Structures are given as C-alpha cells and as structure tokens.
Amino acid sequence: MNILSIDIGGTAIKYGLVSDDFEIIEFHEIPTEAHLGGPHLMQKILDIVGEYYGRISCVGISTAGQVNSKEGKIIFANENIPHYTGTEIVKNINAKFDIPVSVENDVNCAATAEAKFGSGKGYSDFLCLTYGTGVGGAMWLNNEIYTGHDFSAGEFGHIVTHTGGVRCNCGNNGCYEMYASTSALVRKIKEETGKDLNGREIFEPQNFHNVTVKAVIDNWIDEIVGGLTTLIFIFNPGCIILGGGIMNEDYIVTEIQNRIHSKEIHSFKNVEIKKAAMKNKAGMLGAAYLAKQKYNNK
C-alpha cells in the first residue's frame, strides 16, 4: 500500500507518497499561503488528494492547530492561519473522495514518528517539545499519544512561567513560549544588540562569541530549562525529546542536559534529554503511521 502524507505548517506544506514500511518515496513542498485563510488551505489539500487519488490506500495529515482526531476537524487555530478553526478536513475530503483519512496535530505526529522510528524508540513514556515560532508539545504516555479530555493536552508553550509577563497570542500573560521559543531568542537579541538575526545566524561564530549575544543565549537556555523543570516535576518522564531547527545547535542541547542533570533530585538525574531524530520528516512519517493504523482498523 502507498500512503499520501501531508504535513501542513505555517510556511510550507510538505507532501508525498510514503510506502507501507514508512519510506518517503516521493516528496514535494509548496507554500502554505496561510494568510489566505482556512478555506484556501482546504482547497490546496483537496487538490493534493485529487492528484494522488487512485494510487493510494489512505491519507495522513499532520497540521498546525488543535485537532479533534476522532472527527478530523480543527477545533482551534490562531490567526497565523485565519478562519482555520472549525475546518472539517475529513468531511471535506470524504465529500469528494472515498478514502480513509487521518488528521492529527503536528507535534503529536512528530512525537509519534519519534516513538516509532526516532529518539523515542524503546520508551513507553516521553515528552516531546518543539521550539520555533512558539513552543509545541506532545505527551507519549503508555505507548500512545495522550490528547486529553477534548484533544487539547500538551500545550506546553502556554504554561505560565512568568505571572503578569509578556502578553501571548493565546490571551494570557507570561506563557513559556514568549520566553523560550526561537522567536523569543530572536526578539531578545534584537533588543540587546539592535541586530536582526535569525536562529541560525545567532550561532554563527562572529555572533555567538560576542559577549552580549552569548549572555542572551545563556539566559534564554535558562528559560527553556525553567519550563522543562516544571514538566519533569509533573510527569517524571524517562526522556524529553527536543525538536525544532534551533535544537540542531549542539551547544543548546548540551547546556540543557548539564543544567537539568546538575539538579540533585533523583528524577532530574535520570531523565534523558535528546535531540529529535526525524527532523523535517517527522510530520509526514507520523501522519503516515497514524493513517495506516486507521486503514488497518477500518
């Protein structure tokens, strides 16, 4: 069987064929054009499915936003994709194509891929966090994704780490992602240095070895560790997997490991801190795995 896997991000849609044994055998990438809104995005999805229909057994979709995975609909999305909330992805696809469709949140898909093929393999329980524009989260508990009472569990970016702090687009103040995301690092670097640097540029030698830049990075890592400390106390995980392009920087992950493991409490000594292994394949592979499960259980 071939699976059509679609990974919808705020910037790009990655899609292609995934084989029965989860090899990506065809890959494409197109702009999301998120600013054009949910209906435009839904039409793009329908066009992709139409392109492959007749050659595939099922469709797996990984998407930004909170997802009711039983019904295959978006229950909440912020204004990065306007009018996406309420989009009934499965219903829209099945109105045109008779095919099983699985839809899941992007970080849940990434965690599934890590559990089955990557850094989470062999763990029955782990946490997965991705650091980028915001901070995404997922919980792999008892060998499956935990989605909570109404599919909203794992919103680690919105735990409040600074009461009364910076306003977040969720409506609260002081959320973790306002201090620990890549966007927060970029913003703080500009405040302190006046330089417009992206995440990769910050770690180039001419910037990284600047005393001011290095101090901002180290304070930002403290913010990451502060949030992880709370999560370790709550979940006592065997492993925490850190994803997002910024986590390709060895300095960050090494410092997080050192600062977590320096704490005297037993649970901090034993938790494994790992880089995500699947990187930009995670969404597609996780979506494909969940789609195959749905197909086998239909």
Side-chain angles (χ1 to χ4, degrees):
M1 68 183 288
N2 282 338
I3 304 160
L4 172 59
S5 188
I6 305 172
D7 181 15
I8 303 165
T11 304
I13 300 171
K14 304 179 186 76
Y15 68 95
L17 289 179
V18 178
S19 70
D20 191 47
D21 55 356
F22 302 107
E23 291 292 325
I24 296 175
I25 55 179
E26 186 179 310
F27 177 85
H28 302 279
E29 187 169 340
I30 59 173
T32 306
E33 299 177 313
H35 64 284
L36 297 176
H40 179 79
L41 176 53
M42 189 66 239
Q43 187 57 54
K44 280 182 173 257
I45 297 167
L46 290 171
D47 290 344
I48 293 169
V49 176
E51 180 185 340
Y52 285 88
Y53 189 64
R55 297 191 282 144
I56 52 175
S57 301
C58 54
V59 179
I61 296 175
S62 163
T63 180
Q66 293 181 359
V67 177
N68 179 328
S69 51
K70 285 186 179 175
E71 297 180 12
K73 66 184 286 187
I74 305 299
I75 54 177
F76 177 77
N78 64 31
E79 284 308 300
N80 290 337
I81 309 178
H83 313 298
Y84 196 36
T85 299
T87 301
E88 302 206 45
I89 295 176
V90 168
K91 187 176 286 187
N92 278 300
I93 292 174
N94 286 157
K96 294 189 71 172
F97 307 105
D98 182 19
I99 193 165
V101 181
S102 168
V103 184
E104 185 53 272
N105 164 267
D106 50 3
V107 187
N108 286 348
C109 283
T112 299
E114 294 294 338
K116 298 301 175 180
F117 316 114
S119 295
K121 200 170 181 181
Y123 291 93
S124 61
D125 304 271
F126 65 83
L127 306 181
C128 183
L129 292 92
T130 59
Y131 295 80
T133 304
V135 177
M139 293 175 278
W140 186 262
L141 302 178
N142 297 319
N143 290 306
E144 63 182 8
I145 286 291
Y146 177 76
T147 56
H149 171 66
D150 56 4
F151 306 98
S152 302
E155 292 284 352
F156 298 146
H158 298 290
I159 60 176
V160 175
T161 57
H162 292 257
T163 302
V166 177
R167 185 74 169 175
C168 179
N169 63 15
C170 76
N172 288 326
N173 292 79
C175 291
Y176 183 46
E177 68 179 37
M178 300 308 294
Y179 298 86
S181 63
T182 306
S183 297
L185 173 63
V186 167
R187 184 174 64 248
K188 195 67 177 175
I189 290 289
K190 185 173 183 182
E191 287 175 8
E192 295 295 324
T193 69
K195 294 181 179 180
D196 270 314
L197 302 174
N198 62 34
R200 178 184 53 77
E201 290 168 339
I202 289 167
F203 288 87
E204 289 175 352
Q206 70 272 22
N207 296 314
F208 180 68
H209 295 299
N210 176 286
V211 173
T212 303
V213 170
K214 183 69 162 39
V216 172
I217 291 169
D218 283 331
N219 288 335
W220 172 73
I221 291 172
D222 277 340
E223 296 288 357
I224 293 174
V225 170
L228 294 180
T229 297
T230 297
L231 296 176
I232 292 167
F233 274 122
I234 295 169
F235 291 102
N236 184 29
C239 178
I240 297 177
I241 297 172
L242 306 177
I246 199 77
M247 291 300 164
N248 292 327
E249 300 292 340
D250 289 334
Y251 178 78
I252 301 172
V253 177
T254 299
E255 281 297 304
I256 292 170
Q257 289 169 335
N258 291 341
R259 296 181 202 191
I260 291 291
H261 292 153
S262 69
K263 299 179 188 295
E264 291 302 319
I265 300 169
H266 182 75
S267 56
F268 287 82
K269 297 288 187 188
N270 292 333
V271 61
E272 296 267 4
I273 309 292
K274 292 187 171 186
K275 280 186 192 180
M278 307 312 296
K279 300 182 180 176
N280 65 348
K281 297 178 180 178
M284 283 183 64
L285 289 177
Y289 181 87
L290 294 171
K292 184 177 177 181
Q293 273 197 320
K294 184 167 186 176
Y295 177 83
N296 289 338
N297 294 329
K298 69 177 182 178

